[in-house]
């Protein structure tokens, strides 16, 4: 398994592409937007440059990593020879179903189809392909090149062989795979998102301000980043989407998103990506703030 196709050149997609390419895999990075592909490659180049500056990798390793990545704007061309396809598109069910229908049509029969979804049912995604036994969840954490965890989620029909292959593949990337069951939010977000939502509720109810809430959690609970800052980093729209998936899946009011979160997303205040969320971020400081947070 040396040819890996990654669908989506955004934050997660370019991070996944970076990680596979750095570990010697040939990566076909796919996005319908040439501009997104350009930004994705620029991000990978910047992050590799930081690793060179820190002495983590050599300049030659940076060059080799970049040479392992090729770009495509159509799924059909990008997945032609892929042993594994990893979808990292926006957390939208209809979009993912459309992508997997295309993958079922254009991929070789023995291609493993993985999704980086953080909350959507693997079984539901697999329902639109001809080989549901080849579909699995492979949920990386952000930033992908640095975070060790990969949640491995088996759908109802995912085969034992595919699961073992992906578990071992994750280890070759230097990651720690953890197998979890296919329920809304899996483990990471089922625990994380209610905490972030409760932090937003705490702000909404006037218990404390943004910096006070984050300071309590950083100093009192030893969290490296406060929950409101983390929500900005993830993207408030992403947080809202995941909470809605869990609320729809469990019908439990504890997963209902805070009205403040809904209003902020509707107002376009999405966190780092939009320049403003619970904190303000200038264009020149967005990437620097977050990179420094994780590269210390």
């Amino acid at each position: 398994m040396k040819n890996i196709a990654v669908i989506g050149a955004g934050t997660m997609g370019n991070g996944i592409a970076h990680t596979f390419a750095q570990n010697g895999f040939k990566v076909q990075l796919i996005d319908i937007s040439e501009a997104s592909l350009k930004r994705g490659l620029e991000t990978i180049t910047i992050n590799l440059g930081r690793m060179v500056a820190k002495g983590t990798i050599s300049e030659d390793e940076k060059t080799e990593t970049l040479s392992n990545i090729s770009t495509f704007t159509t799924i059909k061309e990008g997945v032609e020879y892929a042993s594994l396809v990893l979808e990292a598109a926006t957390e939208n069910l209809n979009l993912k179903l459309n992508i997997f229908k295309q993958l079922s049509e254009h991929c070789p029969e023995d291609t493993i189809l993985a999704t980086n979804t953080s909350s959507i049912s693997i079984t539901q995604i697999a329902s639109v392909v001809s080989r549901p036994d080849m579909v699995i969840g492979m949920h990386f954490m952000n930033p992908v090149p640095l975070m060790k965890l990969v949640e491995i989620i088996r759908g109802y029909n995912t085969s034992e062989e595919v699961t073992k292959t992906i578990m071992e593949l994750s280890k070759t990337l230097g990651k720690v795979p953890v197998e979890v069951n296919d329920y809304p939010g899996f483990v990471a977000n089922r625990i994380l998102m209610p905490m972030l939502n409760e932090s937003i509720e705490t702000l909404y109810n006037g218990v404390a301000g943004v910096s006070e809430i984050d300071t309590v959690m950083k100093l009192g609970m030893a969290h490296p980043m406060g929950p409101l800052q983390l929500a900005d980093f993830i993207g408030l729209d992403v947080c809202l989407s995941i909470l809605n998936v869990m609320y729809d899946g469990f019908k439990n009011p504890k997963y209902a998103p805070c009205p403040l979160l809904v209003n902020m997303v509707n107002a376009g205040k999405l966190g780092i990506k939009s320049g403003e969320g619970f904190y303000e971020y200038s264009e020149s400081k967005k990437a620097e703030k977050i990179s420094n947070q994780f590269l210390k």
Side-chain angles (χ1 to χ4, degrees), residues 166-222:
I166 294 302
M167 292 286 283
E168 291 304 314
L169 177 65
S170 300
K171 292 175 185 177
T172 68
L173 298 174
K175 304 301 184 185
V176 178
V178 177
E179 185 179 342
V180 305
N181 290 322
D182 187 17
Y183 291 96
F186 316 131
V187 171
N189 281 319
R190 185 168 178 173
I191 295 170
L192 174 64
M193 286 301 155
M195 185 194 77
L196 300 187
N197 197 44
E198 191 62 31
S199 301
I200 300 169
E201 285 277 3
T202 303
L203 176 66
Y204 180 58
N205 293 330
V207 178
V210 171
S211 62
E212 288 78 10
I213 291 169
D214 278 355
T215 299
V216 166
M217 296 305 289
K218 285 190 289 185
L219 300 185
M221 312 302 167

Side-chain angles (χ1 to χ4, degrees), residues 28-268:
Q28 294 82 51
L29 183 59
I30 306 165
D31 200 293
I32 59 172
S33 166
E34 287 279 9
S36 293
L37 288 168
K38 182 180 178 181
R39 285 194 300 270
L41 286 176
E42 286 173 351
T43 298
I44 293 169
T45 303
I46 290 169
N47 288 336
L48 286 169
R50 289 195 177 101
M51 296 175 79
V52 171
K54 286 171 63 73
T56 307
I57 63 172
S58 67
E59 190 66 43
D60 287 344
E61 288 172 313
K62 172 187 172 182
T63 301
E64 184 177 354
T65 297
L66 291 171
S67 72
N68 283 335
I69 303 172
S70 53
T71 61
F72 298 85
T73 54
T74 66
I75 286 177
K76 182 178 180 180
E77 290 181 311
V79 304
E80 187 175 3
Y81 303 108
S83 302
L84 167 68
V85 177
L86 220 162
E87 171 271 318
T90 304
E91 196 75 347
N92 177 286
L93 175 61
N94 289 332
L95 174 61
K96 291 182 186 295
L97 293 180
N98 180 52
I99 289 171
F100 273 79
K101 285 177 184 176
Q102 293 182 64
L103 293 178
S104 185
E105 180 181 348
H106 297 302
C107 288
E109 283 193 2
D110 60 350
T111 301
I112 296 175
L113 307 179
T115 173
N116 184 59
T117 180
S118 54
S119 59
I120 296 171
S121 167
I122 307 305
T123 303
Q124 188 172 9
I125 291 173
S127 69
V128 299
V129 308
S130 59
R131 293 282 311 275
D133 58 306
M134 302 295 285
V135 179
I136 194 166
M138 199 175 184
H139 179 210
F140 289 85
M141 304 294 119
N142 187 24
V144 180
L146 299 176
M147 299 294 276
K148 291 291 187 181
L149 175 67
V150 184
E151 277 188 304
I152 307 299
I153 310 101
R154 291 181 66 160
Y156 188 83
N157 293 300
T158 306
S159 73
E160 184 67 30
E161 181 182 358
V162 166
T163 303
K164 287 181 178 178
T165 298
I166 294 302
M167 292 286 283
E168 291 304 314
L169 177 65
S170 300
K171 292 175 185 177
T172 68
L173 298 174
K175 304 301 184 185
V176 178
V178 177
E179 185 179 342
V180 305
N181 290 322
D182 187 17
Y183 291 96
F186 316 131
V187 171
N189 281 319
R190 185 168 178 173
I191 295 170
L192 174 64
M193 286 301 155
M195 185 194 77
L196 300 187
N197 197 44
E198 191 62 31
S199 301
I200 300 169
E201 285 277 3
T202 303
L203 176 66
Y204 180 58
N205 293 330
V207 178
V210 171
S211 62
E212 288 78 10
I213 291 169
D214 278 355
T215 299
V216 166
M217 296 305 289
K218 285 190 289 185
L219 300 185
M221 312 302 167
H223 290 192
M225 182 184 288
L228 299 176
Q229 185 185 9
L230 178 57
D232 274 357
F233 175 60
I234 294 169
L236 302 190
D237 54 336
V238 176
C239 293
L240 178 59
S241 176
I242 295 170
L243 284 164
N244 281 330
V245 167
M246 293 196 294
Y247 183 58
D248 290 342
F250 293 116
K251 306 299 188 221
N252 189 322
K254 74 178 181 179
Y255 299 116
C258 175
L260 175 59
L261 174 61
V262 175
N263 280 343
M264 291 180 71
V265 172
N266 287 339

